[in-house]
Amino acid sequence: MSQRLVILGSIAVGALLVALLAWNPSRDRTRHAQGPPLLVYCAAGLQPAIEPAVRAFEAETGARVQIQYGGSGTLLANLRVSRVGDLFVAADHFFIEIARSNALLAEVIPLARLTPTIAVARGNPKAIRSLDDLLREDVHLVLANPDAAAIGRVVRDTLLARGTWDRFETRARAFKPTVNDLANDLKLGTADAAIVWDATVRQYPELDAVPDATFADAASEVAVGVLEACTQPAAALALARFLAAPERGGRHMAEHGFAPVAGDPWVRSPELILFSGGVNRVAIEETLRAFEAREGVGIQRVYNGCGILTAQIRAGQKPDGYFACDVSFMRTVGDEFHAAVELAETRMVIATPPGNPRGLQSLQDLARPGLKVGLANEEQSALGALSARLLRKHGWLEAVMANVVVQTPTADLLVNQLRAGGLDAVVVYEANTRAAGEAIAVIPISLDGATAIQPLAVGRQTRYPQLMRRLMDTLCSEESRRRFETTGFRWRVPSP
C-alpha cells in the first residue's frame, strides 16, 4: 500500500514539475498579442501624441495596435460605411456625438482640450495682427474642410455665429482635409495664414500663433470612443484608459502641446469597491458582472444593511460608490459622495406563508396576539428604519414589537426564515419577494412613506472617477432598467 502511495505521489510531483516548466509568466502579459490587432481611427492632428502613447501601450501590455489617421469627419464617414474597428479618436466632440447618434459608439472617454488659433509662418512676415487681417488681398488664406476636419467644423460654426463665415469662405484659397495639411502649407510657404489648433502651433517650430479672442470660447474636446463594432472591448477599453491616464497618454498629450483633461490613473485591471444595500443585489448583480467582463476590471461588492454600511463609511471607509436602499441613508453620508442619481423604488409589503393563513391585511394586523413577526433591524438597515418609522407614526410600534421574534440587518434573511416556516409574517420590500414566487403571499402596505427610493452615488475620493461614471451610465442603461423592473422595482431614471 505504501509503495503504491509513493508511486502516485511521484506521478503527482512529476505532473506539477511539467506544469511549472510549461508555464511562462510573460505569456499572460502578451496573451493579447496572439489575438487580432486593435484597429484605431484617429484624427490626423493628434498623431504626434497618440502615436508614441499607443506604442508605449503595446510595449507595456503586449497588445498590437493599427492606427488609421485622417480628418475626424472623413474617418467618421468611413466608419458609417464599414462599421469595422475598435476605437475612434476625434479632435472634436461634435463628431463623437454624431457617431453616438448613428449608434457607432458605446463608451466615450475624454482626453484633452484644443482651442483654434490663427497661425502664420515664424516671424509673421505678413504682419497679421487680427482675424480681420486674414481677409486682406495680400494674404493667402487656407482653411480646413468643415466636413472633413474637426478644426474646419469648429471654425465654420464660430464664424457662422458671428455672421462672417461667408467672407472667410470666399477669401480662402483652398480647403484642406486635415489640420496637418494647413500647418505644412504654412511651413512650406504656400500659404500665409490658417486657423489651426493651438497644439498644432506648438508642434511646428516654423509657426507662430497670432492672439485673437474670437476663438477663446470655442474650445474643442478630444475624446476616444469604443466602437459598437469592437470585438475586443476589454482590450479596447484598456487602451482608452491608457490614453486618458495622466502618467501615460496624458504625458504624451502635454509634451505635444495639448491640454490633457484629468483621467483615471493607469492600472491594467482596476478594482472598484461598491457598497450596496442588500435589496439591490438581485437587480444589479448581472449588470455588474457584464461590466466587469466588458471593461476588464473587478468590482468588490459589499452587500449589507444600510445602517451597517453607513456606519462603516462614517468610520472612515471610502468606497468608490454607494447604492443605498433608501435616500434617507444616503443623506447621512452625503458629504462623502457626489450628487446621487435615484435609480429605482420599491414598495414595502407584508409577506406571509402561502395562502396568508392568518388573514393579515394591514400593518396594524401584525399587532394581533400570538403572531410571530420578523422585522429588519432599525439601526442596521433602511428597511428597519422605514418600518419603525411607519409603525411609530401610526402608534402601532409597541404592540407589533411585542410579536417580533427576529430582527435582521437585511430583508433577504427575513424571507428565508419565513420560507423555513418559523414566522407568520415579515415586513420586507416587494423586490425581496419576487424570486420566491408562489412560495409566499404578498400583501401591499398602502400607507404614505411605505416606498423606499434607491439612490446611487460616486465617492468624492475615488481613484477612478471616469470608470465610476461609466459604471453609473451602465447601471442607468435600458438593459439595467429591464433587470430592475423584472425583479420588482419601479424605474425612476428619466428617459434621455
Side-chain angles (χ1 to χ4, degrees), residues 119-175:
V120 297
R122 171 69 71 182
N124 196 0
K126 288 294 182 76
I128 293 170
R129 306 301 180 200
S130 69
L131 188 66
D132 288 341
D133 283 345
L134 303 187
L135 300 174
R136 289 175 5 207
E137 287 292 336
D138 65 323
V139 173
H140 187 140
L141 172 67
V142 290
L143 295 174
N145 183 339
D147 297 322
I151 182 65
R153 201 281 306 174
V154 173
V155 169
R156 181 192 62 189
D157 289 358
T158 303
L159 296 179
L160 276 173
R162 294 167 57 90
T164 59
W165 169 245
D166 289 346
R167 297 170 62 196
F168 288 88
E169 183 181 29
T170 302
R171 283 292 304 143
R173 304 285 182 87
F175 288 89

Side-chain angles (χ1 to χ4, degrees), residues 26-369:
S26 65
R27 186 166 53 194
D28 286 342
R29 186 179 67 81
T30 60
R31 181 176 48 192
H32 185 75
Q34 298 172 2
L38 292 169
L39 177 56
V40 179
Y41 301 93
C42 181
L46 307 175
Q47 182 173 359
I50 294 296
E51 186 73 29
V54 167
R55 300 313 162 209
F57 176 78
E58 289 181 316
E60 187 165 334
T61 67
R64 294 180 298 152
V65 183
Q66 294 179 352
I67 312 178
Q68 292 186 12
Y69 294 105
S72 296
T74 303
L75 294 172
L76 179 57
N78 293 339
L79 275 171
R80 283 170 165 159
V81 175
S82 68
R83 294 185 179 269
V84 171
D86 299 294
L87 292 169
F88 174 43
V89 188
D92 182 22
H93 206 262
F94 171 80
F95 293 101
I96 291 289
E97 291 305 316
I98 292 180
R100 274 188 184 276
S101 65
N102 283 266
L104 292 172
L105 291 185
E107 300 86 353
V108 173
I109 299 177
L111 299 179
R113 288 189 175 278
L114 294 169
T115 303
T117 188
I118 299 170
V120 297
R122 171 69 71 182
N124 196 0
K126 288 294 182 76
I128 293 170
R129 306 301 180 200
S130 69
L131 188 66
D132 288 341
D133 283 345
L134 303 187
L135 300 174
R136 289 175 5 207
E137 287 292 336
D138 65 323
V139 173
H140 187 140
L141 172 67
V142 290
L143 295 174
N145 183 339
D147 297 322
I151 182 65
R153 201 281 306 174
V154 173
V155 169
R156 181 192 62 189
D157 289 358
T158 303
L159 296 179
L160 276 173
R162 294 167 57 90
T164 59
W165 169 245
D166 289 346
R167 297 170 62 196
F168 288 88
E169 183 181 29
T170 302
R171 283 292 304 143
R173 304 285 182 87
F175 288 89
K176 299 292 184 173
T178 72
V179 70
N180 292 344
D181 293 319
L182 298 176
N184 287 327
D185 279 4
L186 295 174
K187 176 181 175 180
L188 298 173
T190 56
D192 299 320
I195 302 173
V196 303
W197 298 121
D198 52 355
T200 309
V201 176
R202 299 185 191 109
Q203 294 161 16
Y204 284 76
E206 301 88 353
L207 306 186
D208 279 341
V210 177
D212 189 283
T214 304
F215 300 103
D217 296 326
S220 179
E221 183 177 272
V222 177
V224 54
V226 179
L227 297 177
E228 288 284 1
C230 175
T231 58
Q232 309 170 79
L237 280 159
L239 174 53
R241 289 190 285 105
F242 188 94
L243 294 176
E247 74 281 19
R248 296 297 198 276
R251 177 173 63 82
H252 290 286
M253 285 283 181
E255 287 176 355
H256 291 85
F258 298 90
V261 300
D264 295 346
W266 165 248
V267 176
R268 180 69 182 273
S269 300
E271 292 283 336
L272 299 174
I273 299 176
L274 177 66
F275 279 16
S276 175
V279 69
N280 304 320
R281 180 203 298 258
V282 292
I284 67 174
E285 190 57 36
E286 185 177 353
T287 302
L288 295 181
R289 286 196 297 269
F291 183 83
E292 287 177 309
R294 180 171 177 84
E295 289 266 358
V297 304
I299 301 174
Q300 179 184 341
R301 293 86 146 166
V302 181
Y303 295 110
N304 213 328
C306 281
I308 296 173
L309 296 176
T310 53
Q312 291 174 325
I313 294 169
R314 287 193 292 272
Q317 295 195 29
K318 307 290 185 186
D320 297 290
Y322 173 40
F323 192 14
C325 289
D326 186 65
V327 290
S328 58
F329 275 75
M330 180 65 80
R331 294 190 192 110
T332 66
V333 292
D335 290 345
E336 300 293 332
F337 297 90
H338 294 288
V341 175
E342 295 179 1
L343 259 70
E345 63 183 35
T346 185
R347 297 180 302 178
M348 296 167 60
V349 299
I350 300 168
T352 73
N356 188 10
R358 295 288 191 142
L360 304 174
Q361 297 301 322
S362 69
L363 205 56
Q364 187 177 15
D365 288 347
L366 301 185
R368 291 180 189 169

